[in-house]
Amino acid sequence: MFDGPEPIYVQIATWIRAQVLAGELGEEEQVMSTTQFATTFRINPATAAKAFSGLVEEGILYKRRGLGMFVAPGARQRLLADHRKHYFEDVLAPVLQQADILGIPTDEIVAYVLDAKDSRTSDKHTKEES
């Protein structure tokens, strides 16, 4: 499962963040222990502990003494805010800069985005009705 180019502890942290962001891990929900993680995914417990430690520092997880690690209150909202910020800075800003270079007016960009969003919404409803 964790076979990407990044260190395993980074991949674990990314995986847990994704679960929190998707709502698969809710606030106050317990996360697998480092031992369970190590056994399930056949990794060193210290590697899982390093991932968890980083997530605690970020405020995504917190430790309840004697009970384990849990998803922190507000973790999903913090992740959403962070992802939105990066989306605007890393994705949208370069697109808008390129649009300026190409002379595409803002109203044309807005119209395209709204049409694309409407199209995706209608496609989603069509699939749900099937």
Side-chain angles (χ1 to χ4, degrees):
M1 175 172 186
F2 301 112
D3 56 1
E6 303 92 8
I8 293 174
Y9 77 92
V10 172
Q11 293 178 59
I12 292 168
T14 299
W15 183 67
I16 292 172
R17 279 189 215 97
Q19 286 192 311
V20 171
L21 195 56
E24 295 169 13
L25 278 174
E27 288 186 9
E28 303 294 340
E29 191 169 335
Q30 188 169 11
V31 179
M32 261 192 270
S33 72
T34 55
T35 304
Q36 289 171 317
F37 224 93
T39 303
T40 302
F41 298 109
R42 296 181 180 191
I43 60 171
N44 187 319
T47 301
K50 187 171 182 177
F52 289 2
S53 175
L55 291 168
V56 167
E57 287 178 23
E58 290 175 33
I60 304 304
L61 299 180
Y62 73 95
K63 185 175 184 171
R64 286 189 193 162
R65 189 177 179 106
L67 295 176
M69 293 287 195
F70 292 80
V71 177
R76 184 169 189 273
Q77 289 73 27
R78 278 192 293 285
L79 287 169
L80 281 171
D82 186 52
H83 277 70
R84 286 177 177 156
K85 178 182 176 222
H86 287 291
Y87 176 80
F88 283 108
E89 291 174 356
D90 301 337
V91 176
L92 201 51
V95 167
L96 295 174
Q97 184 178 20
Q98 186 66 28
D100 284 344
I101 291 168
L102 296 173
I104 301 171
T106 302
D107 60 338
E108 192 174 328
I109 296 167
V110 171
Y112 181 87
V113 169
L114 292 173
D115 288 344
K117 190 153 180 92
D118 287 345
S119 175
R120 289 185 62 224
T121 302
S122 66
D123 288 347
K124 183 178 179 183
H125 289 294
T126 303
K127 287 178 185 176
E128 289 174 358
E129 292 171 359
S130 302

